[in-house]
Amino acid sequence: MEIKQLSNREREVAVLVAKGKKDVEIAKLLFISRRRVGELIFNIKEKWEITSRVEIGIGVYYFGWLHAQEERSIDQTSRPPFYTINHFKEVQV
């Protein structure tokens, strides 16, 4: 199977899908119609030969397009995620 490259707009939509955004939210963020969002998601699924939004999220993660550190707000009161480096230092193999 050959994975086809996404256009810049398809990639933007794929990242937003991976972040859990709904079509309406994506449309507002990118200033496009909800119908166009649906078309772009359809194109992504066709190019990658997949059937679900979850698989889009997996693809985005696989290609390294999703950066958790950029998305986290700097809030001193929030607990750090379980996958921080300190967590892994405590685990002994």
Side-chain angles (χ1 to χ4, degrees):
M1 174 181 88
E2 178 186 341
I3 296 179
K4 297 178 184 173
Q5 190 171 358
L6 301 182
S7 70
N8 289 337
R9 185 59 98 184
E10 289 168 342
R11 182 176 169 164
E12 286 178 313
V13 170
V15 169
L16 291 171
V17 168
K19 291 179 180 179
K21 302 291 185 194
K22 296 178 182 176
D23 290 5
V24 174
E25 295 171 313
I26 295 170
K28 287 180 183 178
L29 287 168
L30 300 180
F31 302 102
I32 58 178
S33 71
R34 198 219 52 82
R35 180 179 176 153
R36 182 65 183 139
V37 172
E39 291 170 351
L40 290 164
I41 291 172
F42 177 82
N43 292 342
I44 294 165
K45 289 178 180 179
E46 258 199 347
K47 286 182 177 182
W48 285 357
E49 299 178 13
I50 58 177
T51 59
S52 74
R53 293 170 78 100
V54 171
E55 290 174 298
I56 291 174
I58 292 168
V60 167
Y61 177 79
Y62 175 80
F63 290 118
W65 298 344
L66 192 60
H67 304 286
Q69 294 302 320
E70 293 175 5
E71 292 303 311
R72 273 192 16 199
S73 63
I74 302 173
D75 181 7
Q76 302 300 336
T77 60
S78 66
R79 294 175 44 197
F82 71 91
Y83 54 83
T84 60
I85 294 172
N86 290 336
H87 171 77
F88 289 114
K89 287 180 182 175
E90 295 173 8
V91 176
Q92 296 186 8
V93 182

